[in-house]
Amino acid sequence: MAVVRAWIYLLFTLICFGRVWYLFRLSTASLRAPRIPTTHTIPADVDRSIPISMGAEPKGIFYFVQISDLHISKFRPKGHTHYFLHFIRSILPVLKPSFVVVTGDLTDAKDMRRVTSQQYVEEWSLYNYAIDQGVQGTRWYDMRGNHDCFDLPSWKSRANLYRTHGQSASLIAEGGGIYAWEERLEYGRYKFIAIDACPKKGPSRPLNFFGYLTSKAMDQLASHVLSDSYNHTFMFSHYPTTTMVFGLGDILQAYHPSTQSLELELGDLKEHGLYRIVAIDHDLISFVDTPLPSAIMKSRPERLIPLDNTTVLWPHAVDIAPVVLITNPKEARFSIPAKEPLEQIQKSTHLRFLVFSSLDPSQLQVSIWIDNIEHIHPAEFVGNQEMPLWVAKWDPSSLELKELHTIRVQVDTPTMIGSSSIEFRLDNQRTKVNGGTGEWIISTHMTSTVRFCFSTSSF
Ligand SMILES: *[C@@H]1O[C@H](CO)[C@@H](O)[C@H](O)[C@H]1NC(C)=O
Ligand SMILES: *[C@@H]1O[C@H](CO)[C@@H](O)[C@H](O)[C@H]1NC(C)=O
């Protein structure tokens, strides 16, 4: 009798396990083997015969822009919507990037008193119309953040206004939450992956702070990523790869030693007015995070959602101070020795940097200091309409190999000053990111296996 009972228990346990396994497979089906649709292929194969060395040529370099956390809001005119419209009106025409990526929280979806959440069609329409009416000649990629998924029963739900108003909605739908695109340039191939990490079915606030991709899905995603040969792979997600809630308020910047990838969180546009420019110059990756000008940050529009819901009420464009992005040498804190040809720095004949300004290069006065000593060679504009590249001759062999050096580039216009300074090395070593708590948290919750990752989170 006891034997029979034991068998029954065993059978019952097995059935339970089976059921659990079935439910698990069912609920994570969409995460397995993500099909990544690829768009925008510029056909042309990598010409390996071109000897790559960093000189004065405006070649081997491209750049893009990332913004995050727009929180377009029906109820909050200051910041939020206003900054977004200014980004399009005042910043984008000066930057002229290859493309813009928005990593989530396109709309605010909160009510007047910030108590309840709801998807407002006016917020989504404004987002959509602003891009349609204000962005010309720049590709635009977007993905949802947690605010864009508040109160959504499913992707197909009518409340999912991203599906009807998001710029990349069809790509996300097709790829089951993930899409990718590729830049094929004559000197290299670069892959970009966007992850829509909204919970597919709905916990509403506060549980949907967590991204939905499991670490297993991340691994699969990564194997997908690593299976192809790209000079660099960039991943964008609204959630840090650790899907954590501990990092509140910290800007995450971390280097993952086991995977040789770098994770860089970008601050928000809605309150801090931040945008990021990322340049890839001879496979060295550099970026700069810049806030909107104070003239924009201080101005207070009265009304943002137009009465007819369709014509965008554009603010007057504001001049911006020059934005400087140094691409050679590369900032040592963010170097990825296994993935970047850092030896190029030592071999290079010129310092290289991008200067974004609405003024003609002839009206800019550029000064350079290395280790606080004014650089003897003058800076020279060698770029064109598409590439605001400046160079200055230099001799890296005159600098101490094993030390940390600083370079500062300052650009004066008749009325404004822009500058950038970074620390660099010539021995291909990396220096600590100093990400503080953020880095510690990421390094203790290692889930990412991708090479380079731009994420953002807001709670
Ligand atoms: C991109 O990768 C290819 C293949 O490894 C290489 O030949 C080429 O030099 C790389 N491009 C750059 C800019 O380093
Ligand atoms: C604009 O949108 C609001 C909210 O959906 C609606 O009440 C109003 O009638 C719309 N206005 C026009 C002119 O369509």
Side-chain angles (χ1 to χ4, degrees), residues 121-122 307-309:
V121 73
E122 298 97 312
L307 291 171
D308 68 355
N309 299 340

